């Protein structure tokens, strides 16, 4: 395993009943990159994410994190890996009965024996890193716009200072300005915190603006994983349909990116 490879997936097989989602799937996630993962509906993007983070046991193949096979770990070893991973699911997946602050505090309480005041300070720092206004900490998820819930989910994913961040459709449901601001936030956090980012998305703007490489899932495996400029020229029919349409032409064109990822920038029209 190359030292610049953080995660190595080899021969992954995922099956649901008679449906084979992945078969002989190989993928490397390199340290420090933003890897965009795309594919058609039912291609298994979210299943791949869940298999890598340990939420689904593969039906074949292996997943290695820093050279260690994580496919069949003891609970104690699995927890050690989990503390190095941050996951943000669609729409934040926050606990509705907890405030934003309590949602972000929860992984810290479960993983560390820290004084309550320190837990609160760390959680407030993570909330501030995502650009949420200070008063958002005391609000419940139902009181937030969709964009703010995504930021709150991102703050919780960052709670344990992960090495790699998994994001599942983070810009889904956001207006174009909000999506651009969230892309900028992800890029800024990657650079500031030395993160690796695994980004499941269907947003072509994200692929062109922040992704170092793009992996395309099709026909139950990774068809290509390369720079977006190389991927768009791949002969696979789905790739050609995706990257040669009007939406792709718009994404390739220059688009303004907000200078800062402020809370208001992607708050509007995102409920």
């Amino acid at each position: 395993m190359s030292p610049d490879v953080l995660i190595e997936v080899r021969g992954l097989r995922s099956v649901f009943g008679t449906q084979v989602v992945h078969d002989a799937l190989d993928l490397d996630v390199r340290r420090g990159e933003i890897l965009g993962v795309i594919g058609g509906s039912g291609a298994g993007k979210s299943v791949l994410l869940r298999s890598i983070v340990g939420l689904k046991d593969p039906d074949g193949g292996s997943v290695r994190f820093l050279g260690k096979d994580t496919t069949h770990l003891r609970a104690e070893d699995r927890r050690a890996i989990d503390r190095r991973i941050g996951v943000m699911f669609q729409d934040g997946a926050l606990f509705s009965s907890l405030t934003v602050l309590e949602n972000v505090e929860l992984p810290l309480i479960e993983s560390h024996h820290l004084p309550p005041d320190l837990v609160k300070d760390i959680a407030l720092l993570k909330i501030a890193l995502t650009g949420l206004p200070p008063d958002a900490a005391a609000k419940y998820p139902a009181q937030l716009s969709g964009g703010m819930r995504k930021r709150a989910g991102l703050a919780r994913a960052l709670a344990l200072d992960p090495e790699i961040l998994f994001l599942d459709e983070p810009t889904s449901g956001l207006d174009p300005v909000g999506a651009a601001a969230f892309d900028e936030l992800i890029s800024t956090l990657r650079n500031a915190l030395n993160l690796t980012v695994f980004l499941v998305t269907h947003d072509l703007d994200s692929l062109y603006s922040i992704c170092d490489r793009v992996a395309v899932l099709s026909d139950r495996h990774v068809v290509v994983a390369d720079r977006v400029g190389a991927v768009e020229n791949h002969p696979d029919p789905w790739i050609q349909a995706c990257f040669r349409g009007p939406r792709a032409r718009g994404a390739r064109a220059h688009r303004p990116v907000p200078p800062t990822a402020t809370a208001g920038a992607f708050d509007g029209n995102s409920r």
Side-chain angles (χ1 to χ4, degrees):
M1 188 171 178
S2 171
D4 72 329
V5 173
L6 192 64
I7 292 175
E8 181 183 80
V9 181
R10 289 294 180 269
L12 183 70
R13 181 174 174 84
S14 303
V15 180
F16 294 90
T18 60
Q19 181 184 10
V20 179
V21 179
H22 302 137
D23 191 26
L25 185 151
D26 295 340
L27 180 65
D28 289 342
V29 183
R30 299 171 183 169
R31 189 186 301 274
E33 75 174 345
I34 298 178
L35 175 68
V37 178
I38 65 170
S41 178
K45 303 180 293 295
S46 294
V47 175
L48 175 59
L49 184 156
R50 294 170 64 86
S51 298
I52 293 175
V53 303
L55 295 176
K56 182 191 182 305
D57 290 332
D59 297 289
S62 65
V63 177
R64 303 183 72 84
F65 183 79
L66 287 175
K68 175 179 285 190
D69 191 338
T70 64
T71 311
H72 302 290
L73 287 178
R74 296 179 304 170
E76 182 179 344
D77 294 331
R78 180 75 250 179
R79 284 193 295 270
I81 295 292
D82 289 344
R83 285 193 288 268
R84 304 170 74 174
I85 292 173
V87 184
M88 176 191 153
F89 296 102
Q90 293 186 38
D91 200 37
L94 300 168
F95 292 103
S96 60
S97 61
L98 302 179
T99 65
V100 170
L101 178 62
E102 290 167 340
N103 266 281
V104 180
E105 286 178 329
L106 190 59
L108 291 162
I109 294 170
E110 291 180 338
S111 300
H112 301 297
H113 300 289
L114 299 172
D117 287 347
L118 181 56
V119 169
K120 181 177 180 180
D121 288 345
I122 294 172
L124 289 173
L125 173 61
K126 304 303 180 180
I127 292 169
L129 279 175
T130 66
L132 282 169
D135 64 348
K139 293 183 178 180
Y140 291 91
Q143 298 174 300
L144 304 176
S145 69
M148 293 178 74
R149 283 196 299 272
K150 288 176 184 287
R151 286 194 178 195
L154 180 59
R156 187 177 63 185
L158 293 170
L160 298 180
D161 296 323
E163 294 177 49
I164 181 166
L165 193 60
F166 290 86
L167 307 176
D168 193 1
E169 300 283 8
T171 60
S172 176
L174 298 180
D175 62 75
V177 174
F182 203 95
D183 283 344
E184 182 72 6
L185 175 61
I186 293 169
S187 180
T188 298
L189 290 172
R190 186 273 298 267
N191 296 333
L193 303 178
N194 195 29
L195 291 168
T196 301
V197 180
F198 183 102
L199 172 65
V200 172
T201 187
H202 67 276
D203 191 335
L204 291 172
D205 285 337
S206 299
L207 301 183
Y208 281 99
S209 62
I210 64 170
C211 290
D212 300 294
R213 289 193 306 140
V214 176
V216 182
L217 272 60
S218 181
D219 194 26
R220 299 183 294 278
H221 65 283
V222 174
V223 175
V224 60
D226 207 334
R227 294 173 294 102
V228 67
V231 168
E232 66 182 5
N233 293 315
H234 193 279
D236 179 83
W238 186 87
I239 294 176
Q240 286 299 300
C242 179
F243 284 92
R244 296 303 173 189
R247 290 170 64 88
R249 287 195 292 271
R252 280 194 294 271
H254 173 74
R255 68 164 190 170
V257 176
T260 57
T262 59
F266 69 91
D267 191 351
N269 301 324
S270 55
R271 278 193 182 273

